[in-house]
Amino acid sequence: MPMSDRYFFLHLQKTGGSALKMRLRHHFGDRAVYPCADDGPLPGAILTPAHLVERVAARGDEIRVITGHFPLATLDLLPGEYRTFTLLREPVERTLSFLRQQARLAKKPDSDLVEFYEDPIHYIGLIHNHMTKMLALDTETTRSKGILANVEMTRDHLELARQRLASIDVVGVQERHDDFAAALEREFGWDLGPRRSANQTGSMPVDPALRQRIAEENALDVELYEFALELTASRTPA
């Protein structure tokens, strides 16, 4: 397919991407949005780049949009070219939403969220400067480890993440989801249909000390998010 017919959604955890995928299926149909029911069990289908590569080889003529939690460097593993889009979220709120989801899945909705924050798999793979990592991972690390790679992000990674974010065709923030959807429709000529909701975690009291800790330990993501706000503002039509 020509570049204009293929799309890669850099789906960052807990940014509103699940609701967006429902709208993508509204426009493209189920089989055109990866993964569909035939693409294998979760979570492998949305976390393992090698699995994605196999499925693209098997039915690449059907797939119009790739979703799943794959780092941006996954594009280096795929044939052809893709237009790109992504959605970021304020890092403290993104992390708290993730923690509430884990507490709910563990059937411990009233437990201390610190327990889930300090879980090594959660922290390394899905929390610690997660947005920076998803943009900045190199191709070989992406190929071998994917989203769960244990890489300590540095300011060099942050600078690379900024550069790569600026290269993405459509960038939005979760807090202005409607603006993001409108930008996708405007840029790509899509009809996403009405707004949808999915995987909402509600709210619960949070110790201010945990909020402060998240902000400090994810300082690169905080800076990246601020850059995303500037970027989206500069791209918004007058």
Side-chain angles (χ1 to χ4, degrees), residues 48-108:
T48 309
H51 183 88
L52 170 63
V53 171
E54 291 175 2
R55 296 309 298 156
V56 169
R59 64 178 202 93
D61 289 344
E62 289 184 300
I63 297 172
R64 298 286 304 283
V65 185
I66 291 174
T67 73
H69 301 299
F70 300 111
L72 188 63
T74 303
L75 287 170
D76 296 335
L77 309 177
L78 300 173
E81 296 184 51
Y82 292 79
R83 301 200 73 184
T84 52
F85 56 104
T86 193
L87 192 62
L88 290 82
R89 184 175 183 179
E90 194 284 316
V92 175
E93 293 303 322
R94 188 200 75 81
T95 300
L96 290 173
S97 180
F98 173 79
L99 297 177
R100 289 192 294 267
Q101 180 185 51
Q102 298 309 307
R104 184 185 65 197
L105 293 173
K107 301 187 183 333
K108 297 180 179 179

Side-chain angles (χ1 to χ4, degrees), residues 111-130:
S111 62
D112 186 349
L113 294 181
V114 174
E115 170 189 348
F116 299 97
Y117 183 73
E118 293 180 343
D119 178 275
I121 295 177
H122 294 161
Y123 187 79
I124 292 171
L126 304 169
I127 295 176
H128 193 209
N129 289 311
H130 168 76

Side-chain angles (χ1 to χ4, degrees), residues 1 55-56 97 117 127 131 195 204 220 235 237:
M1 293 183 188
R55 296 309 298 156
V56 169
S97 180
Y117 183 73
I127 295 176
M131 298 190 295
R195 186 173 186 175
M204 59 186 295
L220 299 183
R235 294 181 175 183

Side-chain angles (χ1 to χ4, degrees), residues 22-196:
M22 297 166 67
R23 301 178 74 179
L24 292 171
R25 291 188 176 97
H26 166 87
H27 180 74
F28 289 101
D30 288 341
R31 293 193 61 80
V33 179
Y34 176 91
C36 74
D38 294 340
D39 286 321
L42 303 178
I46 60 171
L47 295 182
T48 309
H51 183 88
L52 170 63
V53 171
E54 291 175 2
R55 296 309 298 156
V56 169
R59 64 178 202 93
D61 289 344
E62 289 184 300
I63 297 172
R64 298 286 304 283
V65 185
I66 291 174
T67 73
H69 301 299
F70 300 111
L72 188 63
T74 303
L75 287 170
D76 296 335
L77 309 177
L78 300 173
E81 296 184 51
Y82 292 79
R83 301 200 73 184
T84 52
F85 56 104
T86 193
L87 192 62
L88 290 82
R89 184 175 183 179
E90 194 284 316
V92 175
E93 293 303 322
R94 188 200 75 81
T95 300
L96 290 173
S97 180
F98 173 79
L99 297 177
R100 289 192 294 267
Q101 180 185 51
Q102 298 309 307
R104 184 185 65 197
L105 293 173
K107 301 187 183 333
K108 297 180 179 179
D110 298 324
S111 62
D112 186 349
L113 294 181
V114 174
E115 170 189 348
F116 299 97
Y117 183 73
E118 293 180 343
D119 178 275
I121 295 177
H122 294 161
Y123 187 79
I124 292 171
L126 304 169
I127 295 176
H128 193 209
N129 289 311
H130 168 76
M131 298 190 295
T132 301
K133 182 172 77 170
M134 288 286 280
L135 282 154
L137 277 185
D138 62 50
T139 305
E140 287 309 309
T141 305
T142 295
R143 187 198 309 272
S144 60
K145 300 294 184 180
I147 191 176
L148 299 179
N150 184 3
V151 178
E152 183 64 33
M153 291 290 105
T154 67
R155 296 203 64 80
D156 287 341
H157 289 109
L158 173 61
E159 181 56 33
L160 180 59
R162 284 173 171 152
Q163 294 173 16
R164 289 180 173 174
L165 185 64
S167 74
I168 290 177
D169 292 293
V170 180
V171 176
V173 293
Q174 185 266 354
E175 297 81 0
R176 294 202 286 271
H177 196 283
D178 289 344
D179 292 343
F180 175 62
L184 289 173
E185 292 180 322
R186 184 170 58 248
E187 178 71 18
F188 299 143
W190 294 348
D191 174 12
L192 295 174
R195 186 173 186 175
R196 308 290 290 271

